[in-house]
Structures are given as structure tokens and as C-alpha cells.
Amino acid sequence: MLPLDDPDTRFMQQALTLARSAPLIGEVPIAALLVHEGIVIAQAHNLRETRQDPTAHAEVIVIQDAARHMGSWRLINTTLYVTLEPCTMCIGAIVLARIPRLVFAATDPKAGACGSIMNIPPEPRLNHRVEVVGGVCAEESQALLQDFFQQLRKDAARRETT
């Protein structure tokens, strides 16, 4: 683990704090924040259940909010922090938004598109490259997700017995 005075660790800890609030409204604890020149300009956790929108991933919401904030769809000089490896949709949005740097925590063996099931960022045919750093605070993020899904299974089993 990187020291807390490391910016990647510090910002990922902020994203994890945000992710912890998602289950309070029935959302999976995945969060993202976008940093521009050392300042958080947008942050969100998943809202797929709340909005009943399959595209309401934290990354997409953050990219939309940041583009409005910056007045441009080109999110240059930024770093995106995400508590889970982005899926194909999200890494596509990251590439299209020209985000130069992505830092994620836990890998996603079921949908991850930054090395787990696919590896889109280094694709040479794309017109933009994203520097990817994975594994920052990975254990903490993985534990948060595992705890969430274990609780869901317990709740479902309890409902079945009543």
C-alpha cells in the first residue's frame, strides 16, 4: 500500500469514503472522483438502482458532471479515481473524454476492461491513450464490495425463510 501522503492513496481514500455511502440508498459501493490540478471537481457513486439506468456508473456520472464544470468534454490534465476497475462502457467514456490518467482500486474479474477480461487502454488503434494505475487501496475496496454482497445474500436468505 502506498503511504497516505501519496496523492493517489489520499484521493482513493476519498473515493472509498464516498463508496461506503452508496449502500445506504441500495447502491453497490463503487465510487469515482475526478481531480483536476489537485482539486476534486466531480464525484459520485453508482446510481444504477436509484435511476434504473444501466449507464449510471460512477465514472459516467463523474465525467458528465466534470464536463459541465469545466465547460468542455475534453477533460485534459485530470486523473480519474475509481474504486473498481472500469468496465468497457466506462473505459470507452474515459478514452472519449481524453482523461489522461486513471487510478483504480480493485480489479473486476467479471467486467474489468483495464486488464481483467479485456485491456482497452493500450489499444493502439484508439486516438487517445490513458495511463492506468491499478491496485491502489485494492484490498480495502475488495473488502467493501465483498461485505456488501454478503449482506445482500444474507438479506435474501432471511426473506426466503420468512
Side-chain angles (χ1 to χ4, degrees):
M1 181 170 166
L2 298 169
L4 280 175
D5 61 347
D6 172 72
D8 287 347
T9 302
R10 190 166 27 90
F11 287 122
M12 189 60 73
Q13 285 296 322
Q14 284 183 254
L16 286 163
T17 297
L18 182 59
R20 285 185 198 94
S21 67
L24 300 174
I25 62 168
E27 295 288 349
V28 176
I30 300 169
L33 53 92
L34 193 75
V35 175
H36 179 254
E37 299 176 353
I39 298 168
V40 177
I41 61 168
Q43 61 182 10
H45 58 64
N46 274 19
L47 290 173
R48 290 190 329 170
E49 298 300 326
T50 302
R51 294 183 181 175
Q52 288 299 297
D53 177 354
T55 68
H57 291 203
E59 300 96 307
V60 172
I61 297 166
V62 163
I63 288 168
Q64 292 169 341
D65 290 350
R68 278 190 293 276
H69 172 82
M70 292 182 72
S72 175
W73 61 268
R74 291 178 185 90
L75 301 177
I76 58 173
N77 299 320
T78 61
T79 299
L80 181 65
Y81 293 87
V82 188
T83 60
L84 185 66
E85 178 184 2
C87 69
T88 55
M89 174 185 68
C90 291
I91 194 61
I94 292 163
V95 168
L96 292 172
R98 307 297 195 268
I99 294 171
R101 189 163 183 267
L102 164 69
V103 179
F104 70 86
T107 58
D108 185 351
K110 293 182 179 180
C114 296
S116 288
I117 63 167
M118 300 177 106
N119 198 9
I120 294 173
E123 172 54 53
R125 294 171 291 185
L126 295 175
N127 66 344
H128 175 69
R129 300 290 172 282
V130 180
E131 174 192 346
V132 178
V133 177
V136 177
C137 304
E139 292 170 3
E140 191 174 345
S141 179
Q142 191 66 41
L144 182 62
L145 288 160
Q146 286 173 340
D147 291 349
F148 174 79
F149 287 112
Q150 283 176 347
Q151 188 61 50
L152 273 186
R153 287 188 290 276
K154 283 180 191 175
D155 293 348
R158 204 170 311 136
R159 282 191 301 275
E160 288 176 7
T161 60
T162 57

